[in-house]
Structures are given as structure tokens and as C-alpha cells.
Amino acid sequence: MDEICNIAAALPRLAAEDPDRVAMRYPGRDGRYANALSYGELDQRSNAIAAGLATHGIARGSRTVVMVRPTPEFFLLMFALFKAGAVPVLVDPGINKRALRQCLDESEPQAFIGIPLAMFARALLGWAKAARTRITTGSRALLADATLAQVEAAGAKAGPQLVATEPDEMAAILFTSGSTGVPKGVVYRHRHFMAQARMLGESFGIRPGGVDLPTFPPFALFDPALGLTSIIPDMDPTRPAQASPVKLHAAIERFGVDQLFGSPALMRVLAEYGKPLPGLRRVTSAGAPVPSQVVARMRELLPEDASFWTPYGATECLPVSIIEGRELVALRERTAQGAGTCVGRPVPPNEVRIIRVSDEAIPEWSDDLVVGGGLVGEITVAGPTTTDAYFNRDEQTRLAKICEPLPGGGERIVHRMGDLGYFDGEGRLWFCGRKSERVVTADAGTLCTEQVEPVFNAHPEVARTALVGVGEPGRQQPVLCVEAGPGVSRDQYPRIVAELRHLGEGHVHTAKVETFLFHPGFPVDIRHNAKIGRPQLARWARAQLARDPAGHGAAGEEGR
């Protein structure tokens, strides 16, 4: 009998093989790891919750908002929903409250499951009004129909629960981080999750029996499917840049963690802490380009035979390509010279192609769209994890998806990544920046953020920079926003601007950047704390230049 196409299908098998094996360890409120869930308990309790949810009408196809912190309840709920064939809806809770309400309303949920604070916010702010069933993780059913404990108790005697979901059935709605606008709900089908687990396992050589520290909670859902033990970190997953390296190291050492997943911001925390990580054998970082100096430092802290992987992808399709840290470090001089960031080679069986840059919809694929010869264009991908739609966002779906007829009949979806890039002569993919953030000038052509910023980031007194355009596309003024390094005083700005201008003059594509504005602290995305909020910076820069058209280097230091 073929295995059911459901990411939760591996759980009963693993529970039957070794019920006492630890599936998950998690910190209590005091930060101590006093409790654990075995594979047997995870399977049994998620069965009970799935059965209990059915008594409240949450069953196959029920769209269910889940606003629960990365505690055991989150993972129990997620596996219960997958087993039931329900459709969990996940949105980053830290996004703009207006955008959050829009996302929840767009998902048209039938149910809402949340911590007490989320239940209160839902009632006060009118979130997800369409949801008729409300479950709280709290000890009392305030503003809810029942508590999660009551739901679990109601289904305790029900036995195994696993709906035979179809590959094309909707499995979840996962909202993007919203770094370039209001987050979009990506429709995941069960085949997408299964392909994702398979491709991640094969690409990184993951074998059952490992111990993982997943600092981005949704990725912990893959651990049972891959036969891993998860150590849930003692940190706020929405603020990886503020994670405690002491606590991370303590968990790694205590539980023999041999693999770690985290955002570039979290990698920077570990790199700057500077303590060796002798037990780790595999580190994976995604969400934004990882600075080469961070990769180099992490490589120094890891054992010689360990791997540091940086997969490229997006919520809509992951993984697209991968590159190991040694190769990335070897190519950092090309990045510093403005080549972009190398994101490696496509993960089989993905087909990655570069097409000409356009902001218009492309209904049907044509090979005439493809550009070659190392030219920069928009990155597209077709493969097993390529999602096909945004939920209730027809216009965004139209702009991001291309229908490609197949030679033997049928069709497939090609996803437009919204990123600019190119292939080099060795078949490596280079990322040049977001298409929506390119700066189109009248006399310097098109400037891509990831080809411009690294040139200026080389300055020792600059923490990071962000290229933005002010004005209408085609006549935009390129402006470099600068975040100064620690200890740099305002009176040093004019000197630094002169030195930055000199750096820019060393390259044709950066010589036209003549306006520099210092900013006290760049806005970043809530999910990974790594993607710079360039749209916000562009609005800020426009306001600064309206007050100071000359764009003096010290402008705007006080404002965000």
C-alpha cells in the first residue's frame, strides 16, 4: 500500500517503530528543559486532538487560523490538523496589525485556535470574523468555545486519525513575510510538503536519528518526517537577532545537537559570540542572503567536516538552489566587486530559468522569454515544490505564475521569484536583488541592490547599506542609505561619505550613486530579521531629500 500523501503520515510509522524515542524537547517558562514529547506521545496526543477537533466541526478542508507560540501545543495542533485533513493558516503575528487583519480576513477561516492573548485581540480588533469555531490554549474557555485540553480529552479514546488526503488537496495556507508589501497567503498542497521534505533530506544528506535545533518553528514540522529529534530553542522566534547565544550553546551542548537551522540574523549572533560549535555537523541558514563574513566566521567555528548550507528559495518554492559555505566564501571577492550573491546550483529536479525583466503578467510560457549569456533577468522555477496560487489574491497569482504547456500533454506552473539574477559560466545562480527594489535611472541604467550594496559594505565603519530609488522609475535618483557601525559619531559622517563615494567610483555601476543618507537603524522583516525594508527606506529617503535636496550625508540621522 502506498504511503498517504500527508506530512503527518510518517508520525504513526515512527511511533510504531520506536514509541519511546524523543521527538521533541522544549523549554518551560523558566527556560529549563524539564519536559519532552516522545514519538509515541506526539502521535497519540495529536490523534486525540484531531478527533476532538472533529466534534467542534474542524475536519477535512476546514481552514483554521493557528496563532500559538512554538510550544508543544503548536506542534500537537499542527500534526492534528494535518491528520484531520484540515488546512492550518499561519501568519506572522508581528506584522502590521492592519495587514494582519487583512490576511486573516482573506483566508476566510472556519476556525480560530490561539493563545489567550490572540483570542482577546481577535475579539477586540475583529480578526477572522468568519471563524465560527474558537479554541484557546488557555486554562479557561474565555472568548472561546473550548480549551485545547478539553478538545484533547474529548478525543482521547478515538484511536488513530489520519485522513487519506490527495496530493492536490490543500494542506495549508502559509503567508509570506510581507517584506515588500501585504503578506500573501501561499496555497500549499500535500504534494508540496512531501516534496519539500524529500528534497531537503536529499540535498543536505539528512538521515534519521539526528538532533535538530530549528530556530524557525515551521521548519520543525519537517523533523518527524525526517526522523529527527527537535530541540525547541529558548528564544522569541520573531526576534532571532535578539536570541541569547548563551542559551543556544547550552541547548546544543546538553542535547548533542548536530544540526541547526536559523536565519542570517541568528547566524550573526552566533558568529559574533565566537564560541566554537564542535558538535554541529550541519548548519542551514535561509530567509535572506547570508553576509560572506558571517559565513566565513561560522565556518571557523564549525568542525572541518561540518557543512554550512545556504538554500535559496521563498515561501512559494523551497528549496530552489543551494550552496555550501566553503564555495560561498571562495566567491566573496566577486560579491564585493558587485557580481551579486551566489546562491549555488539548482536542486534537482527543479528547472530554473532566467527571463527578461517585466512587471506585467505572463499568462503562458514561451522559450522566447529566456535570456542567456549571463544577462540579468528575473529568476523563475518549475519543480515539485512550486506552488500554484495565492489564496484569494487572483491578481497577485496572475503576476507571479506562468502556465507552461508540456510536450507530452498537460501543463505545469512556473513561479516567478520576483528576484533578479543570472547564471554564470559554471551553472551557478547569482542573486542580484528583488525586482520590485531595482533602481531604474535615466543615465545609469538599472541598478540592482545586491550588486551595489556589497561594494559600499566593504567600508570598515559601515554596518550595512541599502540602495533605494527616489522618483519615478526610469528617472529615479539612486540613494544609498547607510547604517553606521558601532561607535561612529555624527561628526564623522562627512568623512565616511567621501570615502564611500571614492569606493563607488571604482566601479562603473556604482559610480552614479552620489547621494548618501545615514539612518539610525534599518527596518527589517519580522520573520527572519534579515530582509531590509527598502520600501520603507525609500519613503524615508524621499522625505529627507524633500527637506535637503542636496542629500548631505548627515541627513535624517534622527528619524526612522
Side-chain angles (χ1 to χ4, degrees):
M1 179 180 175
D2 293 335
E3 187 174 43
I4 293 171
C5 188
N6 188 309
I7 197 69
L11 188 53
R13 174 176 54 80
L14 291 166
E17 292 173 356
D18 193 353
D20 295 328
R21 183 174 154 210
V22 174
M24 181 180 304
R25 296 187 186 275
Y26 50 91
R29 291 185 178 180
D30 59 359
R32 296 181 179 180
Y33 286 85
N35 300 299
L37 274 177
S38 68
Y39 270 97
E41 291 169 328
L42 184 58
D43 184 44
Q44 183 181 17
R45 292 186 62 187
S46 59
N47 282 335
I49 293 171
L53 290 174
T55 66
H56 289 274
I58 302 176
R60 192 170 188 168
S62 300
R63 291 185 299 279
T64 306
V65 172
V66 179
M67 298 194 77
V68 178
R69 294 191 177 99
T71 57
E73 287 78 14
F74 172 78
F75 298 102
L76 287 164
L77 267 168
M78 290 297 291
F79 280 109
L81 290 167
F82 286 139
K83 286 182 173 182
V87 181
V89 178
L90 299 183
V91 189
D92 283 327
I95 64 172
N96 175 279
K97 294 300 179 283
R98 182 177 297 177
L100 178 58
R101 178 172 180 174
Q102 179 179 332
C103 293
L104 295 177
D105 288 345
E106 280 181 359
S107 65
E108 298 178 348
Q110 284 94 20
F112 187 101
I113 304 177
I115 60 174
L117 182 61
M119 306 307 293
F120 177 75
R122 177 187 179 273
L124 180 67
L125 303 176
W127 292 349
K129 288 183 178 179
R132 295 289 177 248
T133 302
R134 304 159 302 163
I135 307 294
T136 180
T137 61
S139 58
R140 293 187 295 167
L142 295 175
L143 303 173
D145 303 302
T147 67
L148 183 61
Q150 291 169 341
V151 168
E152 184 175 354
K157 298 180 180 180
Q161 305 285 311
L162 182 60
V163 171
T165 47
E166 298 293 331
D168 280 334
E169 229 175 302
M170 192 185 300
I173 299 174
L174 307 183
F175 277 83
T176 61
S177 63
S179 57
T180 56
V182 175
K184 302 179 288 290
V186 180
V187 175
Y188 263 69
R189 306 191 186 281
H190 286 282
R191 59 181 168 85
H192 294 137
F193 279 128
M194 296 296 284
Q196 210 166 47
R198 183 178 65 254
M199 291 171 72
L200 288 170
E202 292 173 353
S203 298
F204 304 136
I206 299 174
R207 299 289 180 266
V211 181
D212 185 32
L213 187 76
T215 61
F216 181 50
F219 265 77
L221 296 171
F222 289 114
D223 284 354
L226 295 168
L228 304 177
T229 293
S230 299
I231 309 300
I232 307 305
D234 183 13
M235 59 174 280
D236 182 346
T238 67
R239 292 179 172 83
Q242 298 174 21
S244 165
V246 174
K247 291 181 178 179
L248 294 174
H249 272 270
I252 290 169
E253 293 166 11
R254 178 179 175 185
F255 299 114
V257 171
D258 58 11
Q259 45 207 291
L260 164 71
F261 177 91
S263 75
L266 186 123
M267 295 302 140
R268 184 181 292 276
V269 168
L270 291 172
E272 292 179 349
Y273 186 58
K275 184 178 179 180
L277 296 156
L280 289 179
R281 291 293 175 267
R282 182 184 304 105
V283 176
T284 307
S285 185
V290 187
S292 59
Q293 65 271 25
V294 173
V295 177
R297 182 57 177 149
M298 285 297 294
R299 286 276 350 139
E300 293 173 356
L301 300 175
L302 291 169
E304 181 59 32
D305 60 348
S307 300
F308 186 98
W309 295 102
T310 58
Y312 165 69
T315 307
E316 295 90 337
C317 185
L318 182 76
V320 174
S321 64
I322 59 171
I323 186 170
E324 206 281 320
R326 294 174 183 83
E327 186 174 17
L328 190 60
V329 171
L331 295 168
R332 62 180 172 181
E333 186 57 33
R334 289 175 62 175
T335 295
Q337 297 297 315
T341 298
C342 186
V343 293
R345 293 170 175 82
V347 175
N350 286 337
E351 184 172 7
V352 179
R353 292 166 288 186
I354 309 298
I355 65 173
R356 62 176 180 265
V357 179
S358 171
D359 294 316
E360 303 301 318
I362 304 174
E364 186 169 297
W365 179 269
S366 167
D367 289 341
D368 293 338
L369 295 168
V370 178
V371 300
L375 296 176
V376 174
E378 183 175 6
I379 301 170
T380 71
V381 59
T385 66
T386 302
T387 56
D388 47 51
Y390 298 113
F391 193 78
N392 274 344
R393 289 282 194 92
D394 293 343
E395 179 62 18
Q396 281 73 18
T397 297
R398 196 172 66 86
L399 289 170
K401 310 295 180 180
I402 307 173
C403 182
E404 180 179 16
L406 297 175
E411 59 187 31
R412 67 176 177 177
I413 294 296
V414 178
H415 177 66
R416 301 169 69 179
M417 292 293 291
D419 292 334
L420 300 178
Y422 64 94
F423 279 107
D424 66 16
E426 298 182 45
R428 293 176 299 213
L429 181 63
W430 290 74
F431 169 72
C432 298
R434 293 291 293 167
K435 181 176 69 173
S436 62
E437 294 172 351
R438 72 192 190 277
V439 178
V440 185
T441 70
D443 56 353
T446 298
L447 300 176
C448 301
T449 57
E450 291 297 320
Q451 291 185 311
V452 170
E453 294 164 6
V455 172
F456 297 103
N457 289 344
H459 194 289
E461 293 173 283
V462 166
R464 54 184 171 177
T465 61
L467 177 72
V468 300
V470 173
E472 292 298 316
R475 299 190 302 275
Q476 286 182 309
Q477 175 184 356
V479 177
L480 194 77
C481 300
V482 181
E483 189 177 301
V488 175
S489 61
R490 186 183 177 94
D491 60 3
Q492 298 177 69
Y493 289 177
R495 172 184 57 80
I496 294 174
V497 165
E499 293 168 353
L500 288 172
R501 188 168 285 118
H502 180 69
L503 282 174
E505 288 169 352
H507 304 274
V508 173
H509 69 293
T510 54
K512 295 294 184 179
V513 180
E514 300 175 343
T515 305
F516 301 82
L517 298 175
F518 280 83
H519 190 283
F522 291 170
V524 293
D525 68 295
I526 187 67
R527 179 173 297 174
H528 301 293
N529 293 181
K531 296 177 182 176
I532 296 172
R534 291 184 183 84
Q536 299 98 300
L537 285 177
R539 292 192 291 271
W540 172 84
R542 184 171 61 246
Q544 295 299 317
L545 292 179
R547 292 198 291 267
D548 178 17
H552 295 122
E557 195 272 343
E558 302 87 352
R560 286 188 181 268

